[in-house]
Amino acid sequence: DCGLAAEQLKNNPRHKAYLEGVSLRQLKKLYSLLKGYLGGESLAESLEKFLQEQPIDPEEDMNKLDDKELAKRKSIMDELFEKNRKKKEDPDFIYDIEVEFPQDEQLESCGWDVESGEEI
């Protein structure tokens, strides 16, 4: 199991100092890629297989997940965020982007953002 092997490596006192900046998800990914390589898969095949095993469903109700599954989903989302984030050092970084959204449709008002005369 790649997850168990990654946890053992991360928690090993001998390697702990070197791996404290490496997430458990990254170690699981590394083990999965190595397992695929040893099984004769190419890097692209192993990576595709790993990504298919770790999907994020935008329609999924994460309030119903247990703590372990929720942490797993958050880790996946954090990795995707860091991968897609624009940093100041990036050549195509723009500090202040202004976007005009089309107003073709009639806007619906929401009840939660309407000011009411009632004080809480």
Side-chain angles (χ1 to χ4, degrees), residues 30-42 45-46 49:
L30 176 65
Y31 269 109
S32 177
L33 294 177
L34 288 172
K35 184 178 176 183
Y37 176 77
L38 293 174
E41 296 175 354
S42 71
E45 292 171 337
S46 296
K49 186 177 175 182

Side-chain angles (χ1 to χ4, degrees), residues 23-29 47-58 60 62 65 67-85:
S23 72
L24 190 58
R25 176 163 160 68
Q26 287 175 315
L27 289 174
K28 287 179 188 176
K29 185 176 181 180
L47 190 56
E48 182 66 31
K49 186 177 175 182
F50 178 79
L51 292 175
Q52 286 177 355
E53 292 173 359
Q54 308 294 324
I56 293 289
D57 181 12
E60 181 179 28
M62 293 192 191
L65 297 176
D67 289 342
K68 185 176 180 179
E69 284 297 313
L70 183 61
K72 183 177 171 183
R73 300 293 197 294
K74 284 183 176 182
S75 173
I76 293 168
M77 290 187 286
D78 287 342
E79 185 175 309
L80 287 172
F81 173 78
E82 286 300 323
K83 178 179 157 187
N84 295 320
R85 186 176 80 156

